[in-house]
Amino acid sequence: MKNKPFNPLNDCFVRYFFTDEGGEKVLLDFINAVMISADMKTFKAVEILNPFNLKRNYKDKETIVDVKCITKNGTVVIIEVQLSGNSRFSERILYYWATNYSKLLKKGEQYEELNPVISINLLNFNLNKKENNVHSCYMIYDTKNARLLTDHLQIHMIELKKFKFKDNNLPKDLNCWLGFFTTKNMEAYMSEIVKEKPIMEEAHKRYNNFIRSQLMMSEYEKKEIYQYGKQIMLAEERRIGRKEGRKEGKLEGIRDEKYSIAKNLKKSGLDIKFISENTGLPIDEIKKL
């Protein structure tokens, strides 16, 4: 990855950064930064429920939740990073929230045992193009008098494409964190931000541990290649939809592009079955590339 900007939104890095051993401090600080930005109560401690596991991470092409933890008072917090989305993304996030909320009760337990579930979503695309808000928080309110029905549902959308460091109305702590996730020069950013926010020393340490590990960086590169291929395929699928019914030659060009993507993914060392599942090309044909 030399000469290429490091991508802090890479799912392998995010999971390692927040959930590998010792990640509770930076995770708690990030969650509290989001809570402060939404004028919500903060938390004193978190316990990670899905600790980082490189072997499991390698097998996961798509995950429902990148980070999952529970606070001292029993509130569950799930964090997801999304690099792309569509018009049904909001329903998807609600479904993931509901999946986690429904798992809180064991057989025979009463509804009193339920606790809030907070969903924090870092989006690298614009969900709402009509508004400039970087951070939005959604809950369930009465439409007439704005009375809160329950605090058990809390969904945070953070639209990173709208974020401009030091040129927004965000509180200091969240501003620092979003700068971390969007910077194109991590070393320069960290040297500056550590002076303002001491916890970033720990963040910098975890970042350095990651990039100095050949194993981690190998997984990071594979995730980057996968995401690149996925973005190209999504773009091609949209183009097919727009040009459906036109000349067959257009489809041939798209098919050639898929072969080109598959060939590059194969060179990177990715599993042939994985490539087949994500390009739609037969395994036998990929083996010949």
Side-chain angles (χ1 to χ4, degrees):
M1 300 299 294
K2 290 182 179 180
N3 301 322
K4 292 183 179 180
F6 183 82
N7 177 19
L9 294 176
N10 178 286
D11 66 345
C12 179
F13 174 70
V14 171
R15 285 185 231 173
Y16 168 85
F17 182 78
F18 280 134
T19 68
D20 193 42
E21 185 178 359
E24 291 87 355
K25 290 182 180 179
V26 291
L27 177 58
L28 177 63
D29 194 88
F30 171 71
I31 292 171
N32 282 340
V34 175
M35 295 299 105
I36 291 170
S37 176
D39 295 324
M40 300 292 180
K41 65 179 181 180
T42 57
F43 304 104
K44 294 183 178 180
V46 293
E47 177 187 348
I48 296 167
L49 298 178
N50 61 339
F52 181 79
N53 181 302
L54 185 59
K55 186 175 181 181
R56 185 175 65 239
N57 186 80
Y58 175 79
K59 292 180 179 179
D60 289 345
K61 296 185 289 295
E62 296 285 345
T63 56
I64 291 181
V65 176
D66 290 323
V67 178
K68 185 175 181 178
C69 64
I70 188 168
T71 67
K72 198 170 184 179
N73 69 351
T75 297
V76 173
V77 182
I78 55 180
I79 301 173
E80 185 180 5
V81 176
Q82 282 293 326
L83 303 184
S84 59
N86 54 38
S87 60
R88 310 316 300 178
F89 181 78
S90 298
E91 286 79 2
R92 174 185 174 182
I93 291 302
L94 184 60
Y95 178 78
Y96 289 172
W97 173 89
T99 298
N100 282 274
Y101 190 64
S102 66
K103 290 179 180 178
L104 294 179
L105 279 187
K106 297 178 182 178
K107 189 175 181 179
E109 290 184 335
Q110 302 299 313
Y111 294 121
E112 288 78 8
E113 302 296 324
L114 288 167
N115 286 307
V117 172
I118 297 173
S119 171
I120 299 174
N121 303 276
L122 287 169
L123 313 180
N124 201 31
F125 61 93
N126 290 334
L127 181 66
N128 189 337
K129 296 180 180 179
K130 295 181 180 179
E131 297 182 5
N132 294 322
N133 294 338
V134 175
H135 177 201
S136 303
C137 178
Y138 298 90
M139 301 179 75
I140 303 177
Y141 290 91
D142 183 277
T143 57
K144 291 185 178 180
N145 57 30
R147 183 175 62 86
L148 182 67
L149 177 65
T150 174
D151 66 353
H152 279 208
L153 183 146
Q154 197 177 124
I155 295 178
H156 297 262
M157 300 293 195
I158 300 175
E159 300 174 67
L160 296 174
K161 290 291 186 182
K162 298 176 181 177
F163 174 74
K164 294 180 181 179
F165 187 60
K166 292 186 177 179
D167 185 21
N168 56 69
N169 296 319
L170 295 173
K172 175 184 172 182
D173 286 348
L174 186 58
N175 188 64
C176 289
W177 275 114
L178 299 193
F180 174 82
F181 283 114
T182 57
T183 183
K184 301 298 182 184
N185 189 334
M186 184 64 78
E187 289 298 336
Y189 177 76
M190 294 306 291
S191 64
E192 176 185 353
I193 210 65
V194 161
K195 301 172 187 176
E196 298 182 31
K197 191 172 173 62
I199 190 66
M200 286 301 178
E201 289 186 15
E202 177 64 23
H204 196 191
K205 177 182 176 182
R206 297 182 73 77
Y207 161 75
N208 282 330
N209 288 343
F210 184 88
I211 64 172
R212 289 169 183 169
S213 168
Q214 291 185 352
L215 191 60
M216 294 296 184
M217 287 305 292
S218 175
E219 177 65 6
Y220 166 89
E221 290 175 11
K222 289 175 182 177
K223 292 290 184 179
E224 287 295 282
I225 292 170
Y226 165 72
Q227 188 61 38
Y228 171 73
K230 181 181 176 182
Q231 288 175 339
I232 291 178
M233 284 185 284
L234 285 173
E236 295 297 344
E237 287 172 4
R238 293 190 190 104
R239 190 164 69 179
I240 290 174
R242 289 194 300 267
K243 298 182 178 181
E244 189 175 355
R246 294 189 180 182
K247 292 182 180 180
E248 228 174 82
K250 298 285 185 181
L251 297 179
E252 284 298 321
I254 292 169
R255 183 173 173 81
D256 289 343
E257 182 68 22
K258 286 190 175 185
Y259 273 101
S260 177
I261 293 169
K263 189 174 182 179
N264 289 331
L265 295 177
K266 185 180 178 184
K267 283 182 180 179
S268 73
L270 288 181
D271 181 69
I272 289 177
K273 185 179 178 182
F274 171 87
I275 298 172
S276 175
E277 290 173 351
N278 288 278
T279 61
L281 298 177
I283 290 177
D284 291 342
E285 293 187 30
I286 295 173
K287 287 180 179 179
K288 296 175 184 178
L289 295 176

